[in-house]
């Protein structure tokens, strides 16, 4: 771990390339890992972790769902969604789970991705999940606060089928965070690599793994962690004229 705020190994994937380092003034604003109060749901029996969440819902602010679709029971997904409705934040990255979490799966092909190469990343209990390293950008216009200071992100997109990579459909209730196409005239403009939607008093966030050390990935990840846990977006004061 190169900085105290890097939460878990599954949040970070090393890849060579240029990066925008977080300013020290910004790093000092970040909370301790324990303050994010995260629960990672993984393995072949995710219901045991859902039971832990149900028994002590106030102990957690963020749930990261990394159990495979074949072991994800609808009743467990519903219990997590009930927790979200009461004010929690759910992260997930496998678009096959989107219908359980209030979104629509809309996977893309490798040809749709930019600057793509085959890659294997960590996902829950899987050490070498097949997928692709690629590049995504935040949308223009009125952007969500978690995109403060973010202009490009390198990501790991998991493979969810034969030449299918995890993405969702943009719908009116979803705020886009990362896209592969930015022009409304482009055919995949309505596909999202990352997006969020409110659910009751909480939020569901679809997001890939972030190459934290590349481009502005560190800033995106820091913003998302802080915001998901109910803290403000870290800001760097402008220089004194």
């Amino acid at each position: 771990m190169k900085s105290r705020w890097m939460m878990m190994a599954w949040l970070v994937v090393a890849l060579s390339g240029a990066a925008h380092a977080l300013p020290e003034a910004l790093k000092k604003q970040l909370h301790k890992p324990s303050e994010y109060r995260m629960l990672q749901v993984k393995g072949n029996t995710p219901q045991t972790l859902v039971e832990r969440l149900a028994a002590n819902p106030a102990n957690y602010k963020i749930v990261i769902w990394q159990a495979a679709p074949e072991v994800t029971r609808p009743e467990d997904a519903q219990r997590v969604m009930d927790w979200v409705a009461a004010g929690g934040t759910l992260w997930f990255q496998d678009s096959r789970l989107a219908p359980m979490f209030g979104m629509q799966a809309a996977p893309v092909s490798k040809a749709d991705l930019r600057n793509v190469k085959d890659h294997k990343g960590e996902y829950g209990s899987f050490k070498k999940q097949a997928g692709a390293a690629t590049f995504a950008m935040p949308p223009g216009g009125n952007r969500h606060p978690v995109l403060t200071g973010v202009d490009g992100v390198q990501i790991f997109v998991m493979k969810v089928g034969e030449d299918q990579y995890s993405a969702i459909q943009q719908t009116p209730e979803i705020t886009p965070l990362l896209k592969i196409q930015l022009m409304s005239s482009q055919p995949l403009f309505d596909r999202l690599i990352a997006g969020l939607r409110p659910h009751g008093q909480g939020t569901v966030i679809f997001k890939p793994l972030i190459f934290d050390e590349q481009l502005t990935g560190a800033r995106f990840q820091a913003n998302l962690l802080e915001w998901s846990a109910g803290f403000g977006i870290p800001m760097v004061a402008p220089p004194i004229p």
Side-chain angles (χ1 to χ4, degrees), residues 2-212:
K2 292 186 177 181
S3 12
R4 64 178 178 83
W5 62 273
M6 291 183 182
M7 291 291 298
M8 300 176 179
W10 60 266
L11 288 174
V12 180
V13 186
L15 191 71
S16 61
H20 298 273
L22 290 177
E24 288 300 320
L26 189 147
K27 289 182 182 179
K28 291 178 181 179
Q29 298 175 54
L30 304 181
H31 290 75
K32 296 178 181 178
S34 60
E35 294 180 275
Y36 295 127
R37 287 159 46 188
M38 305 174 77
L39 176 66
Q40 186 184 13
V41 178
K42 61 180 183 176
N44 293 324
T45 56
Q47 59 267 29
T48 59
L49 291 162
V50 174
E51 290 289 347
R52 183 187 302 177
L53 175 69
N56 296 285
N59 285 359
Y60 305 100
K61 293 182 176 181
I62 305 170
V63 168
I64 308 98
W65 195 277
Q66 289 195 318
E70 55 266 27
V71 299
T72 299
R73 305 186 308 178
E75 57 266 37
D76 291 326
Q78 184 58 55
R79 294 178 79 180
V80 173
M81 291 296 279
D82 291 342
W83 173 82
V84 172
T89 299
L90 169 68
W91 292 5
F92 78 102
Q93 72 183 88
D94 188 334
S95 62
R96 292 171 293 184
L97 295 169
M100 291 188 181
F101 298 138
M103 297 184 181
Q104 298 176 29
V108 297
S109 69
K110 184 184 287 188
D112 299 323
L113 302 171
R114 60 181 71 226
N115 301 322
V116 63
K117 66 178 180 178
D118 291 337
H119 193 81
K120 294 194 176 192
E122 187 171 340
Y123 176 76
S125 300
F126 302 98
K127 300 299 181 183
K128 293 186 176 182
Q129 169 68 45
T134 187
F135 176 75
M137 295 173 290
N142 188 19
R143 308 198 310 177
H144 192 277
V146 301
L147 297 173
T148 301
V150 177
D151 55 28
V153 180
Q154 204 152 20
I155 56 178
F156 169 72
V157 182
M158 65 186 301
K159 194 172 184 179
V160 295
E162 185 63 32
D163 194 28
Q164 290 190 318
Y165 295 83
S166 189
I168 59 169
Q169 185 81 31
Q170 182 175 348
T171 54
E173 69 277 11
I174 296 178
T175 299
L177 297 179
L178 296 175
K179 287 191 169 193
I180 54 174
Q181 302 287 4
L182 298 181
M183 304 274 301
S184 59
S185 59
Q186 293 172 317
L188 297 177
F189 177 74
D190 61 348
R191 306 292 180 87
L192 298 180
I193 296 297
L196 62 83
R197 68 176 293 268
H199 180 69
Q201 298 180 55
T203 307
V204 178
I205 299 175
F206 172 76
K207 65 174 291 292
L209 292 182
I210 305 298
F211 288 85
D212 189 82

